Amino acid sequence: MAVRRMVYDDLYELCRDERKLMDWLEAFGLIGDFSGKCVKCESGSMGKRKDSSRSEGYVWRCSNKKCNQKIVARRDSWFFRSHLSVSEIMKLTFYWVYQVRENFVKVQLRLGSDHTLVDWFNYCRDVCLFVMEEENEMIGGPGIEVEIDESKFGKRKFHRGRRVDGVWVFGGIEKESNRMFLEVVEKRDADTLLSVLRKWVRPGSVIHSDCWKAYSRLNEMGYEHVTVNHSKEFVNAENGACTNKIESTWRAVKASLPRYGTAKGLYDSYFVEYIVRKKYLRCSDDPFLTFLTFIRRVFDPQKPHEYFKIIETENKENDDEFNSSGDLFL
Ligand SMILES: [Zn+2]
């Protein structure tokens, strides 16, 4: 049965009624359910209501008039500590999933500065990083064919003004699937590349590469190795070695990067974004809902994750300060 995908009209409809949205998010597990007996006075019970004096909207309050127990409904969630409304954050997330142009998003959400948008899109990318790190899945295995290659990113052929050095990226992809890894490498020597390879690719894999000598030790490391000499041919006529798939991946990844350059440190997060989109979102019946389940893995309000606690500690000193985007969330 085909699943009805949540489109912008559905989201808009849901976001029109704040209470409905909060209930929906609570049922989805993206916002905490703090109902039940008050833990403070142990006599009242907690109920959710709108608190218009706070930018964070809904608050759980104790029914006991003498008790002042209060819990912000957004606590420990994706929506916590932001001056944006929950519906604005939902829309930003939706726009990120569907790769809507930043200018359009800025206008639609009436965002004053670029910072808010940049920050939130970075948070979405952080969710991808987290999901991929958690899965930490190696590729390949006995008899499985894996193409490997390195490529330089960020180098401009016809640059004006500032010199752009770029970074070297090492990657591998299974021939029969879209499972892959991409990692920025400091150096392009054999030791560096082989240690990254060992981290990502299971022994017994059949490695396809060009003839570069950095890979000459692959056989000793427990891999089968076939090479193609690109100065002569695209596919090795004898052993069938070819690296077309990784090469088309380089082109696709490069096309997916922001057009006006990428900070060096952000490359890895753009790569995981690319992989998460390719591996999970593009093939999902509902990419937005799929991404919301990823967010829930990172920001589970019922059991705040270590990841979130780290952010909390980092922010302790300037707990009530605004960051550059006017958001309390970081
Ligand atoms: Zn109470």
Side-chain angles (χ1 to χ4, degrees), residues 53-71:
S53 67
R54 311 175 67 103
S55 62
E56 297 206 283
Y58 278 81
V59 169
W60 289 83
R61 271 176 197 285
C62 178
S63 59
N64 177 359
K65 292 260 160 35
K66 290 179 205 141
C67 175
N68 57 3
Q69 174 71 338
K70 263 195 290 196
I71 300 170

Side-chain angles (χ1 to χ4, degrees), residues 10-25:
D10 305 319
L11 179 68
Y12 183 87
E13 189 57 34
L14 181 63
C15 286
R16 246 188 354 188
D17 181 342
E18 202 187 350
R19 175 74 199 211
K20 205 168 103 188
L21 176 61
M22 294 303 281
D23 291 346
W24 188 88
L25 288 169

Side-chain angles (χ1 to χ4, degrees), residues 217-272:
R217 277 162 29 209
L218 281 173
N219 286 323
E220 309 161 26
M221 288 169 62
Y223 299 104
E224 264 182 71
H225 188 206
V226 287
T227 60
V228 54
N229 185 343
H230 278 150
S231 58
K232 291 190 190 138
E233 58 199 349
F234 290 110
V235 181
N236 185 320
E238 276 165 39
N239 59 25
C242 86
T243 53
N244 290 344
K245 190 152 186 172
I246 186 77
E247 277 155 37
S248 64
T249 302
W250 293 134
R251 284 192 293 276
V253 174
K254 282 174 183 174
S256 79
L257 292 175
R259 240 186 306 173
Y260 303 107
T262 300
K264 255 190 185 184
L266 280 179
Y267 271 106
D268 280 324
S269 81
Y270 279 106
F271 296 153
V272 290

Side-chain angles (χ1 to χ4, degrees), residues 150-155 164-169 250 254:
E150 324 93 58
S151 182
K152 189 145 196 181
F153 276 65
K155 194 180 76 178
V164 184
D165 277 340
V167 292
W168 277 102
V169 178
W250 293 134
K254 282 174 183 174

